[in-house]
Amino acid sequence: MSVLSKFFIRRYPFQITHFVTSKCNARCNHCFYWKKLNKEKNELTLEEIDKVSKSIPQFFSLMLTGGEPFLRDDLSDIAQVYYKNNKIKNLGTPTNGFLPDKIYKTAKRILDSCPGIFYTVSISLDGLGADHDKSRGVPGAFEKVKETYSKLSELKKSYKNFNVDFLTAVTVLNEKKLKEIYDYIKNNFKTEVIMIMLRGDPKNPDLKCISQETFEYISKLQKDKFKDLSSFNQPRFKLLIRKRMHNLRHDLIMKTARENKYVLPCYAGRLDAIIYEGGDVFPCEILDMRMGNLREFNNDFKKLWNSKQAQKVRDYIKDSKCFCTHECANRTNILFNPKVMFRGKL
């Protein structure tokens, strides 16, 4: 069987998002996870994560998130466990940037202990100055973001496999200022901006009511990301694949938003998995259908993934033609659909 064939008939996750903690030091009204923040007292331990990881076949991409993931003191150890056991090639960590020194030290430890990965830290920035402080519910948040970027940019000079970018959560409060935010980041930080749609059930649901024009504008803005490939620390071939996937994904998101209907099969629960801090496994961050809890399966991911309940969830996604505009899920839906990825047909 060819490598390409194995790629497209994969039975286990290609990418995993692991919520390593529910602890958070921000108070964002747009957070979809707000009901669970700072409530989980029984997070999977490093030893449990090691056991879980050993039961997962090799996979490509890992997101370590939260809460605020850098509040977990053993974050670099968790990254090393997945790197050692699963040979991950791509690692991402989003952060609110409130802990500049800790974020710098942890990122450096990850880079030193996992030399074969491409690692990205994504810093949240929803506005400029007081606008960002208000969005995050923390005075001084904007200045902390600038300090965090300054420290991490020093790492970029020494580690060619490291990148720092920015995440902007698009809401009704900042949709009229997106160009201002975008230009500020490009001019002052010389890095990329990823604008994300609110998902799930945010604390203030009214913040999701952005206009169709904003959707269209974001799509156009985001397609500029890969115009200059020289700004990325990756081989050109990989960048060309990323560029194609990135642009097709925004076409898919726009088509889904305009028509509000199913466009492509969703591979959540097959190629994507979400592991929450207490061991619950879900197919994605939006669909409220639990596949099981890892502790119920003695922290054996394979057993949970092949359980009747997990298959029931996958069947629901397939039969209901479940769809959404979530960027992470649609990345996989593009990559693993040859008709779209290779022919560009939606």
Side-chain angles (χ1 to χ4, degrees):
M1 183 181 295
S2 70
V3 174
L4 190 61
S5 298
K6 291 179 180 179
F7 184 82
F8 283 109
I9 65 168
R10 187 177 179 89
R11 291 180 55 218
Y12 292 98
F14 171 78
Q15 69 175 9
I16 291 177
T17 300
H18 188 159
F19 285 67
V20 294
T21 184
S22 70
K23 296 175 184 175
C24 191
N25 48 1
R27 300 292 180 268
C28 311
N29 282 329
H30 60 262
C31 179
F32 74 94
Y33 206 54
W34 64 278
K35 291 178 182 177
K36 296 183 180 181
L37 290 182
N38 301 306
K39 293 182 179 179
E40 179 61 63
K41 306 297 183 184
N42 196 23
E43 297 169 350
L44 291 174
T45 65
L46 182 63
E47 291 72 23
E48 286 179 304
I49 293 171
D50 184 45
K51 186 173 182 180
V52 169
S53 149
K54 286 176 178 175
S55 70
I56 306 174
Q58 182 177 335
F59 64 98
F60 181 79
S61 185
L62 173 68
M63 179 73 74
L64 296 178
T65 186
E68 170 51 49
F70 286 97
L71 284 174
R72 182 142 178 174
D73 292 334
D74 58 357
L75 183 65
S76 61
D77 297 317
I78 294 172
Q80 190 173 0
V81 159
Y82 278 110
Y83 176 70
K84 174 186 172 185
N85 295 337
N86 306 105
K87 308 296 187 293
I88 58 170
K89 303 298 183 185
N90 191 68
L91 175 66
T93 314
T95 178
N96 56 37
F98 294 177
L99 303 167
D101 290 331
K102 188 172 186 180
I103 292 168
Y104 171 86
K105 291 175 183 177
T106 302
K108 188 175 188 307
R109 283 198 297 269
I110 289 174
L111 289 163
D112 287 336
S113 61
C114 308
I117 61 168
F118 186 78
Y119 181 37
T120 300
V121 173
S122 300
I123 308 171
S124 294
L125 185 62
D126 306 327
L128 305 182
D131 286 348
H132 180 67
D133 293 2
K134 183 178 179 181
S135 174
R136 296 284 153 170
V138 177
F142 182 70
E143 292 302 318
K144 288 293 185 184
V145 163
K146 292 198 294 184
E147 185 180 349
T148 295
Y149 179 78
S150 177
K151 289 180 178 295
L152 292 179
S153 63
E154 291 301 310
L155 284 180
K156 285 185 68 174
K157 298 175 183 177
S158 303
Y159 297 89
K160 299 302 182 184
N161 59 328
F162 180 57
N163 188 49
V164 187
D165 58 26
F166 283 85
L167 295 175
T168 296
V170 180
T171 72
V172 297
L173 299 179
N174 66 6
E175 66 175 323
K176 302 298 184 184
K177 298 181 179 181
L178 295 180
K179 185 65 165 60
E180 179 184 356
I181 297 168
Y182 181 88
D183 288 344
Y184 180 89
I185 293 172
K186 298 294 275 187
N187 294 332
N188 291 274
F189 301 125
K190 311 297 182 185
T191 192
E192 300 307 317
V193 192
I194 301 169
M195 295 188 172
I196 57 175
M197 304 296 106
L198 299 193
R199 58 187 182 273
D201 181 26
K203 191 172 184 180
N204 182 352
D206 292 339
L207 294 177
K208 292 178 71 174
C209 302
I210 63 173
S211 67
Q212 182 64 38
E213 289 75 18
T214 298
F215 263 102
E216 303 285 348
Y217 176 71
I218 293 169
S219 180
K220 180 179 180 298
L221 207 57
Q222 293 290 266
K223 284 191 174 185
D224 288 341
K225 179 177 179 179
F226 286 95
K227 276 190 174 179
D228 180 13
L229 297 182
S230 65
S231 63
F232 294 86
N233 293 329
Q234 278 188 299
R236 185 174 178 83
F237 176 70
K238 289 185 178 180
L239 286 173
L240 289 172
I241 293 176
R242 285 185 64 193
K243 179 179 180 178
R244 185 166 181 79
M245 180 281 298
H246 177 84
N247 289 342
L248 286 169
R249 178 176 60 176
H250 282 284
D251 289 341
L252 172 60
I253 290 172
M254 288 306 100
K255 186 177 177 66
T256 303
R258 287 190 205 106
E259 301 178 7
N260 191 33
K261 68 178 184 181
Y262 168 95
V263 178
L264 286 182
C266 180
Y267 299 129
R270 291 174 58 194
L271 300 175
D272 284 355
I274 310 296
I275 299 175
Y276 286 108
E277 61 277 353
D280 281 341
V281 175
F282 281 72
C284 72
E285 299 170 16
I286 298 175
L287 184 62
D288 190 18
M289 293 186 71
R290 193 179 79 131
M291 302 175 85
N293 185 284
L294 287 161
R295 287 174 172 142
E296 297 168 357
F297 292 83
N298 195 27
N299 289 318
D300 188 323
F301 184 90
K302 270 189 177 180
K303 286 185 178 178
L304 185 155
W305 201 246
N306 293 317
S307 68
K308 290 182 179 179
Q309 175 59 22
Q311 187 57 48
K312 181 180 178 181
V313 173
R314 283 190 285 271
D315 289 343
Y316 171 84
I317 293 171
K318 181 181 178 181
D319 296 342
S320 68
K321 294 188 173 182
C322 196
F323 69 92
C324 69
T325 58
H326 182 24
E327 291 85 353
C328 295
N330 280 304
R331 173 174 57 193
T332 308
N333 297 341
I334 290 286
L335 280 172
F336 284 85
N337 192 311
K339 180 180 177 182
V340 175
M341 190 62 192
F342 299 134
R343 298 181 186 177
K345 294 182 178 180
L346 287 175

